[in-house]
């Protein structure tokens, strides 16, 4: 199997109302009917639409949910309620923008002549097999008399887009940013697991040994060939998460009853200052963060033409879940607690808290591999490792990645502040800045209204990223200084 088959380069088009499914269905049908191996009994392998939607929800609703009451406190109830929906919509538009970039990737990448393209003269674009064959034969292609340099073999689909948008420097920027993003996410997960285990009474007495078992589970699950294998854990993880917040809500009702809802008018509706708004944005951006891995999610699907529908359903589930977890829990505990950290600080040292921490440790353990897998694939691609090569090399890379992140997590202060900064810088850059930037670079001949939308998304993403990253980094340094002196 070639590298291109691991990271399919399938084209997308979108209409004015971002109807991803309509046009991807057409492209998939063209490729399907022209495939030499096509037959009526063929059943594609991979995750279904429902499984993919659950996978998206599970990918989002992991450790970051513990900081949502903190975000609600920083942002205010009204600002948070509206903002959650807007950030979800922003993620969908950015994902659509990133998928639309493939429409502008050069169609003639090896041996295809004429304006009809390579798909039987129908789509004007190359199939997965033809792209893979072209990669193996030459490093350049010719389109309309112009020489086009191809990306290196092993480049992911997101990397292909970056390459054609900004040449080699674009790919280097994306690779560095994605590595920082994945490592930041994994470190945040490790910090969360350590905080859970620290408050569990039955321990080995050593923090490092206590973290060993969940880290081993993460490493083992991370050796899966692709994300579709991990979709089997999505329902289990969501149920564990729901049960955890059910216990937290019950604890809040036992302590305060409905007193918090009776006095909701006394709570802040808007952020107090720019720093508070930045921390809110970082947590929420971290909580969604589906855009950077949209290609990996799509590649895990059996029917890839329904990626738009799965994304809509998944993000919708996330919004309603986040609204309850953030505003609901914030109001419920408001008479007795102020959230300056994760939500588990509101629980007393009882068996209830023990159950919640064990469940959340499990949730993190089955969520982290969803990040390790694409990160490992990125490294493997750069090292030129093929799926047909020795499997132990891929296992070693993913295990070492888990080990490095576990070690680095011991030096990181404050789970809430870490995910705020990662969300503001890494997630925002990869999810809100690069997609419209790449689309603008690639779509010089596109409709003017599409370019206006891309410019608006780029300006909004750039300004938001710069301001919020500076504010959250300053807060992070203050916390680190305080912890060091303590």
């Amino acid at each position: 199997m070639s590298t291109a088959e691991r990271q399919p380069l399938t084209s997308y088009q979108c209409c004015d109302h971002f109807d991803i499914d309509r046009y991807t269905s057409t492209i998939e049908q063209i490729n399907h009917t022209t495939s030499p191996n096509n037959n009526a009994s063929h059943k594609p392998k991979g995750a279904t639409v429902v499984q993919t939607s659950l996978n998206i929800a599970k990918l989002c609703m992991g450790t970051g949910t513990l900081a949502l009451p903190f975000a609600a406190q920083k942002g205010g109830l009204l600002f948070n309620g509206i903002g959650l929906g807007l950030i979800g919509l922003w993620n969908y538009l950015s994902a659509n923008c990133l998928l639309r970039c493939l429409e502008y990737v050069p169609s003639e990448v090896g041996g295809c002549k004429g304006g009809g393209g390579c798909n039987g003269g129908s789509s004007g674009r190359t199939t997965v097999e033809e792209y893979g064959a072209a990669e193996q034969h030459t490093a350049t292609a010719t389109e309309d008399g112009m020489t086009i340099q191809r990306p290196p073999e092993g480049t992911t689909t997101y990397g292909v887009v970056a390459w054609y948008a900004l040449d080699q420097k674009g790919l280097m920027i994306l690779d560095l940013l994605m590595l920082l993003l994945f490592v930041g996410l994994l470190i945040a997960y490790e910090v969360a697991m350590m905080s859970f285990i620290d408050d569990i009474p039955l321990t080995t007495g050593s923090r490092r040994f206590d973290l060993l078992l969940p880290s081993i589970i993460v490493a083992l699950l991370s050796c899966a060939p692709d994300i579709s294998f991990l979709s089997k854990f999505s329902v289990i993880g969501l149920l564990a998460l729901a049960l955890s917040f059910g216990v937290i809500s019950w604890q809040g009702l036992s302590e305060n009853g409905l007193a918090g809802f009776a006095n909701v008018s006394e709570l802040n509706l808007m952020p107090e200052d720019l720093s508070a708004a930045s921390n809110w944005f970082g947590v929420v951006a971290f909580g969604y963060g589906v855009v950077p891995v949209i290609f990996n999610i799509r590649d895990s699907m059996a029917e890839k033409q329904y990626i738009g529908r799965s994304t809509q359903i998944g993000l919708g589930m996330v919004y309603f879940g986040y609204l309850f977890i953030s505003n609901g829990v914030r109001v419920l505990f408001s008479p007795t607690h102020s959230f300056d950290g994760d939500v588990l600080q509101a629980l007393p040292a009882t068996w209830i808290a023990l159950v919640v921490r064990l469940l959340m440790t499990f949730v993190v353990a089955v969520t982290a591999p969803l990040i390790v897998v694409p990160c490992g694939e990125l490294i493997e691609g750069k090292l030129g490792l093929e799926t047909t090569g020795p499997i132990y090399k891929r296992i070693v890379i993913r295990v070492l990645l888990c080990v490095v992140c576990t070690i680095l997590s011991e030096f990181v202060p404050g789970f809430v502040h870490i995910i705020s900064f990662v969300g503001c810088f890494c997630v925002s850059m990869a999810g809100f800045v690069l997609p419209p930037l790449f689309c603008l670079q690639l779509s010089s001949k596109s409709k003017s209204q599409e370019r206006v939308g891309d410019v608006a998304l780029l300006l909004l993403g750039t300004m938001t990223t710069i301001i919020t990253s500076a504010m959250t980094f300053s807060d992070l340094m203050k916390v680190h200084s305080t912890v060091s002196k303590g």
Side-chain angles (χ1 to χ4, degrees):
M1 182 179 293
S2 69
T3 303
E5 288 174 305
R6 291 176 57 200
Q7 300 291 343
L9 184 64
T10 305
S11 299
Y12 284 82
Q13 286 182 315
C14 300
C15 65
D16 295 339
H17 300 288
F18 303 97
D19 188 2
I20 300 175
D21 293 332
R22 174 185 172 188
Y23 286 91
T24 54
S25 177
T26 302
I27 297 300
E28 290 292 337
Q29 289 173 7
I30 291 172
N31 288 337
H32 183 63
T33 55
T34 57
S35 174
N37 297 323
N38 179 37
N39 58 75
S41 62
H42 176 70
K43 184 178 180 180
K45 296 182 180 180
T48 64
V49 172
V50 174
Q51 288 175 329
T52 303
S53 300
L54 290 172
N55 222 19
I56 291 174
K58 176 62 187 64
L59 179 63
C60 295
M61 300 180 69
T63 319
T65 56
L66 299 179
L68 287 175
F70 166 81
Q73 177 173 302
K74 290 293 184 179
L77 298 181
L78 179 61
F79 184 85
N80 180 66
I82 298 175
L84 282 172
L86 293 178
I87 298 298
L89 176 60
W90 196 356
N91 269 264
Y92 180 74
L93 297 181
S94 292
N96 170 81
C97 189
L98 189 57
L99 293 170
R100 183 160 50 89
C101 285
L102 293 183
E103 178 184 352
Y104 310 111
V105 170
S107 59
E108 209 171 76
V109 293
C112 300
K113 303 297 181 184
C118 303
N119 292 329
S122 298
S123 69
R125 295 175 179 82
T126 181
T127 62
V128 174
E129 291 78 9
E130 288 161 344
Y131 183 82
E135 273 191 326
Q136 296 173 3
H137 284 94
T138 179
T140 60
T142 301
E143 182 176 280
D144 298 333
M146 299 180 61
T147 300
I148 301 173
Q149 187 73 24
R150 280 199 198 89
E153 186 175 356
T155 303
T156 64
T157 309
Y158 201 171
V160 170
V161 171
W163 177 277
Y164 284 118
L166 299 175
D167 299 322
Q168 185 176 4
K169 61 179 179 294
L171 183 58
M172 292 177 61
I173 292 172
L174 177 64
D175 286 345
L176 177 60
L177 183 60
M178 292 302 291
L179 283 174
L180 288 175
L181 169 59
F182 288 138
V183 170
L185 291 172
L186 291 172
I187 291 175
Y189 289 159
E190 295 287 352
V191 171
M193 285 195 291
M194 282 196 294
S195 67
F196 303 155
I197 296 173
D198 282 343
D199 294 321
I200 294 177
L202 300 177
T203 65
T204 63
S206 172
R207 195 180 190 191
R208 296 179 180 177
F209 281 111
D210 290 339
L211 190 60
L212 185 60
L213 179 58
S215 297
I216 291 176
I217 294 175
V218 171
L220 290 175
L221 292 177
S222 300
C223 295
D226 59 51
I227 296 179
S228 63
F229 172 82
L230 298 177
S231 65
K232 299 177 182 179
F233 296 93
S234 295
V235 175
I236 299 175
L238 288 175
L239 290 176
L241 189 64
L243 182 58
S244 297
F245 277 94
V247 173
I248 291 174
S249 299
W250 180 83
Q251 180 67 28
L253 287 172
S254 299
E255 287 186 6
N256 306 314
L258 299 177
F261 292 94
N263 301 321
V264 68
S265 59
E266 299 178 3
L267 301 178
N268 63 309
L269 299 179
M270 303 293 290
E272 296 180 358
D273 50 35
L274 186 57
S275 177
S278 298
N279 279 279
W280 171 88
F281 174 78
V283 171
V284 175
F286 180 95
Y288 279 101
V290 72
V291 179
V293 292
I294 191 65
F295 289 128
N296 299 91
I297 294 171
R298 177 197 173 274
D299 291 345
S300 72
M301 295 185 68
E303 298 177 285
K304 298 175 176 59
Q305 67 269 28
Y306 297 120
I307 178 62
R309 183 179 304 173
S310 295
T311 304
Q312 292 171 353
I313 296 173
L315 292 178
M317 294 169 59
V318 172
Y319 169 73
F320 288 107
Y322 280 3
L323 188 62
F324 165 76
I325 293 172
S326 56
N327 281 0
V329 174
R330 163 77 175 108
V331 172
L332 192 61
F333 281 91
S334 60
T336 55
H337 296 282
S338 177
F339 291 99
D340 297 319
D342 65 76
V343 68
L344 297 187
Q345 66 173 289
L347 295 180
T350 63
W351 67 270
I352 297 177
L354 176 62
V355 170
V356 170
R357 291 185 175 94
L358 288 175
L359 286 174
M360 291 308 302
T361 301
F362 171 78
V363 170
V364 174
V366 297
T367 300
L370 293 171
I371 303 300
V372 176
V373 170
C375 185
E377 288 178 348
L378 177 62
I379 299 174
E380 293 157 18
K382 293 306 172 185
L383 296 178
L385 299 180
E386 297 285 346
T387 56
T388 55
I391 191 173
Y392 75 89
K393 292 183 179 180
R394 300 199 305 275
I395 293 176
V396 168
I397 289 175
R398 298 181 188 188
V399 170
L400 284 177
L401 180 62
C402 294
V403 171
V404 169
C405 291
T406 301
I407 294 174
L408 292 177
S409 65
E410 297 186 16
F411 303 96
V412 174
F415 166 73
V416 167
H417 296 284
I418 283 295
I419 68 170
S420 293
F421 175 70
V422 171
C424 288
F425 181 68
C426 297
V427 177
S428 185
M429 277 288 294
F432 299 144
V433 177
L434 294 186
L437 174 61
F438 292 162
C439 210
L440 284 170
Q441 288 292 111
L442 292 168
S443 62
S444 58
K445 298 180 181 179
S446 67
K447 299 177 182 179
S448 59
Q449 61 184 18
E450 290 181 342
R451 289 183 62 81
V452 169
D454 293 339
V455 170
L457 287 175
L458 177 60
L459 292 176
L460 178 61
T462 301
M463 293 301 298
T464 302
T465 299
I466 293 174
I467 295 174
T468 59
S469 295
M471 299 300 297
T472 53
F473 183 77
S474 176
D475 289 345
L476 180 62
M477 291 296 98
K478 292 178 181 178
V479 174
H480 181 271
S481 177
T482 302
V483 172
S484 300
K485 291 179 181 179

